């Protein structure tokens, strides 16, 4: 290492015209147009400190991707042979040359001791005042105000010395105007409403029509509908579920306790058993909200749904920080708010990672700079390669973005477009749409708050091979109806779906109803986790990255959803059809069929479900 540094120094010594010196010239590395709904307010405060993350080119990513696809393809001899953390690190580490050049550059500006490295050295982090970052990236940060009044510090463009362009993949926070949204922003009514007593009905022998009340959906209903009601987890502890919280969300134990007492009494101890981890100063608040505060609704929906279905499988809940607690203004704008990279880099550093991780958050893909989306998505590939099923909700705005009523304007040309979401658009995760109804199950649409199950096609990530047959069939079926409004060559989502309206939740001590793909996401996560439990108990590997298996074999275990559509942008949006579609994927799961699809006896799941 030392001698190669010396070599390049000698090389520089040749004179002014050497290629290396010329390449010290700064050249624009990335430009990302400021979204229409942000207006520049002024210069960013130069002394505001930010944690800069520098992503280095992962030298053997193609190889990592090959390993991922081989170990998750049920027809491959390596199926289920998930990689270890050190095997993954070996594949994602940057070349010696990349690391050397990037360090040489950083050392000119910062103290080497202030730099922290990810285990594979593919990410370097350093906390610096904005004025210093501006020199490092030859840029100028500004404060931008969103139409909702919140403010954020970003820059539309940054530069790097030319000789580093091929070695650095992303630097954040720079251009990402993302506004991560929990996919359950819709909670209706009912604070103060009495908890419904019907919940105490005995589990196990009811039919869906007896145990399901469309106005108050409970764990017993979901467990009966999806046939996990008689399954008793065999290896809890060996098998775990992860739950990601961002944006100040937490999982309140006392609310979870009330929920379980009412809706799954035998699981009540679960409310005090889940582990909580704070990442980047993420809040673990368990105290009551102040007046007018509404933290923890998403967190309650997520943890209660998981506990209600998968108990006693242990839950590991992550709360990732990044947003200051006060209302941001021009003097205290949001700087971080980039939850995924911080979270996934933390998780990749751990020796143990739960086999399924539930994430109920999304952003409009166009607000995420391409470099950031690529870096985060490749980190998801690294996590998937370790045998983790990463589950995301497909969004609540139909084809119009993270929430209903989006403007449907492209950030590229200001034309009307369907707005795809990230991370659902990343091909290495599984995206979950929402349904309602119990027979038949149809695509979710909520007439009051306009929640509509999300679906679409990425503009950033091309369609992965595993979806080719399913998606080309769908495109033929829908024909030209929405031509020009979406990118038919992109990764299409969702992959599967689950019920998503009128989840009965306890929040702040009272019952509320939760809706959205945020509800479907922990439901699917819990069911996949129970399937992993059965596999592990049988001496087999957990499923890991689901999609190659889903699109080949797993799809048979899902009930096709064939009516409803991803309403949005003043259109009916992508329709559900027979087979895979871009609003419900392959449909909703049935546990007996899942067991059969992985070659296990289906008996455990449904002795009495259909009467
Ligand atoms: C279901 O019914 C069977 C008999 O039909 C009974 O043995 C079993 O205990 C019941 N299960 C539950 C959970 O009530
Ligand atoms: C949800 O519950 C409300 C009552 O709180 C009911 O009016 C509505 O029809 C239910 N929605 C669905 C889709 O069942
Ligand atoms: C962590 O959060 C607390 C409370 O919000 C705050 O007082 C503290 O300064 C934060 N620490 C860091 C290192 O950001
Ligand atoms: C984008 O288009 C909308 C609607 O057509 C228009 O109102 C808006 O002014 C346009 N914005 C820009 C920046 O051109
Ligand atoms: C459509 O998707 C492809 C494949 O991901 C991509 O290369 C292309 O740039 C996208 N087109 C637009 C207009 O974003
Ligand atoms: C939360 O509960 C407390 C105590 O019951 C109550 O004072 C407060 O108004 C509640 N907050 C909301 C937003 O309902
Ligand atoms: C969280 O738990 C506390 C008791 O530990 C409870 O008083 C409070 O209402 C809960 N907060 C929320 C937001 O649910
Ligand atoms: C939908 O149509 C209404 C009425 O024509 C219009 O005001 C609105 O801007 C349109 N919305 C979108 C997303 O196209």
């Amino acid at each position: 290492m030392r001698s190669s540094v010396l070599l390049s120094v000698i090389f520089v010594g040749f004179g002014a015209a050497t290629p290396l010196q010329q390449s010290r010239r700064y050249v624009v590395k990335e430009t990302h147009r400021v979204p229409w709904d942000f207006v520049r307010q002024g210069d960013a405060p130069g002394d505001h400190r930010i944690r800069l993350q520098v992503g280095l080119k992962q030298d053997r990513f193609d190889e990592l991707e090959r390993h991922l696809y081989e170990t998750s393809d049920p027809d491959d001899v390596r199926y289920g042979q998930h990689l270890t953390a050190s095997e993954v690190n070996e594949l994602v580490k940057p070349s010696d040359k990349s690391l050397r050049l990037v360090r040489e550059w950083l050392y000119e500006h910062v103290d080497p001791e202030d730099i922290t490295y990810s285990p594979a050295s593919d990410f370097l982090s350093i906390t610096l005042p904005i004025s210093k970052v501006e020199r490092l990236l030859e840029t100028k940060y500004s404060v931008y105000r969103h139409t909702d009044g919140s403010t954020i510090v970003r820059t539309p463009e940054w530069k790097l010395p030319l000789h580093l362009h091929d070695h650095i993949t992303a630097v954040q926070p720079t251009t990402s105007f993302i506004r991560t949204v929990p996919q359950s922003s819709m909670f209706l009514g009912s604070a103060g409403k009495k908890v419904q007593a019907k919940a105490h009905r005995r589990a196990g022998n009811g039919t869906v029509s007896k145990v399901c009340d469309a106005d108050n959906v409970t764990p017993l209903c979901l467990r009966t509908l999806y046939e996990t009601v008689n399954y008793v987890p065999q290896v809890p502890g060996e098998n775990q579920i992860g739950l990601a919280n961002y944006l100040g969300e937490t999982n309140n134990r006392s609310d979870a306790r009330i929920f379980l007492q009412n809706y799954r009494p035998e699981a009540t101890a679960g409310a005090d058993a889940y582990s909580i981890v704070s990442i980047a100063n993420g809040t673990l608040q368990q105290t009551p909200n102040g007046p007018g505060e509404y933290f923890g609704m998403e967190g309650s929906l997520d943890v209660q749904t998981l506990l209600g279905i998968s108990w006693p499988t242990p839950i590991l809940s992550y709360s990732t920080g990044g947003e200051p607690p006060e209302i941001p203004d021009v003097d205290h704008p949001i700087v971080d708010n980039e939850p995924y990279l911080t979270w996934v880099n933390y998780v990749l550093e751990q020796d143990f990672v739960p086999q399924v991780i539930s994430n109920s958050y999304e952003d409009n893909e166009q607000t995420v700079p391409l470099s950031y989306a690529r870096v985060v998505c490749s980190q998801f590939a690294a996590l998937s390669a370790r045998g983790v099923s990463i589950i995301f909700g497909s969004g609540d705005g139909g084809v119009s973005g993270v929430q209903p009523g989006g403007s449907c304007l492209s950030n590229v040309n200001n034309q009307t477009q369907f707005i795809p979401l990230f991370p659902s658009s990343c091909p290495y995760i599984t995206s979950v749409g929402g349904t309602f109804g119990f027979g038949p199950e149809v695509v979710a649409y909520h007439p009051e708050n306009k929640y509509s199950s999300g679906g679409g096609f990425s503009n950033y990530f091309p369609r992965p091979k595993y979806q080719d047959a399913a998606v080309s069939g769908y495109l033929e079926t829908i024909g030209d109806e929405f031509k020009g409004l979406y990118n038919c060559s992109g990764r299409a989502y969702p992959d599967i779906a689950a019920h998503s309206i009128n989840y009965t939740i306890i929040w702040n001590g009272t019952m509320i109803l939760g809706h959205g793909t945020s509800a479907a996401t922990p439901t699917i996560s819990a069911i996949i986790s129970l399937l992993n439990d059965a596999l592990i108990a049988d001496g087999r590997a957990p499923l890991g990255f689901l999609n190659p298996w889903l699109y080949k074999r797993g799809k048979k275990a899902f009930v096709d959803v064939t009516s409803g559509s991803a309403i949005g942008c003043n259109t009916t949006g992508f329709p559900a059809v027979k087979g895979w579609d871009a609003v419900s994927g392959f449909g909703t799961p049935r546990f007996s069929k899942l067991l059969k699809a992985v070659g296990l006896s289906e008996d455990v799941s449904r002795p009495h479900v259909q009467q």
Side-chain angles (χ1 to χ4, degrees), residues 444-524:
Y445 179 68
H446 198 295
E448 280 171 65
N449 60 30
K450 311 292 180 217
Y451 153 53
S452 177
S453 172
F457 293 76
S458 176
N459 286 314
Y460 286 0
F461 299 99
R463 182 197 305 157
K465 275 209 182 62
Y466 63 74
Q467 322 195 279
D468 265 344
V471 174
S472 49
Y474 181 66
L475 290 171
E476 252 170 58
T477 307
I478 64 171
D480 286 346
E481 189 175 2
F482 303 115
K483 210 171 172 180
L485 293 173
Y486 67 99
N487 189 335
C488 59
S489 65
R491 186 290 202 237
Y493 65 91
D495 302 298
I496 48 181
H499 190 85
S500 65
I501 288 189
N502 282 346
Y503 275 52
T504 305
I505 298 301
I506 303 296
W507 175 79
N508 199 35
T510 59
M511 196 198 88
I512 59 171
L513 294 173
H515 320 284
T517 52
S518 271
T521 301
T523 295
I524 287 290

Side-chain angles (χ1 to χ4, degrees), residues 21 27 40 54 71 82 98 145 155 181 203 209 214 245 274 306 356 369 375 382 393 440 457 476 491 498 535 545 591:
Q21 270 199 353
V27 173
R40 187 175 179 279
V54 179
T71 56
H82 307 305
S98 296
R145 183 183 294 280
T155 170
V181 176
S209 61
N245 297 291
Y274 55 85
L306 289 177
V356 177
V375 155
F457 293 76
E476 252 170 58
R491 186 290 202 237
L535 284 166
F545 177 40
F591 199 61

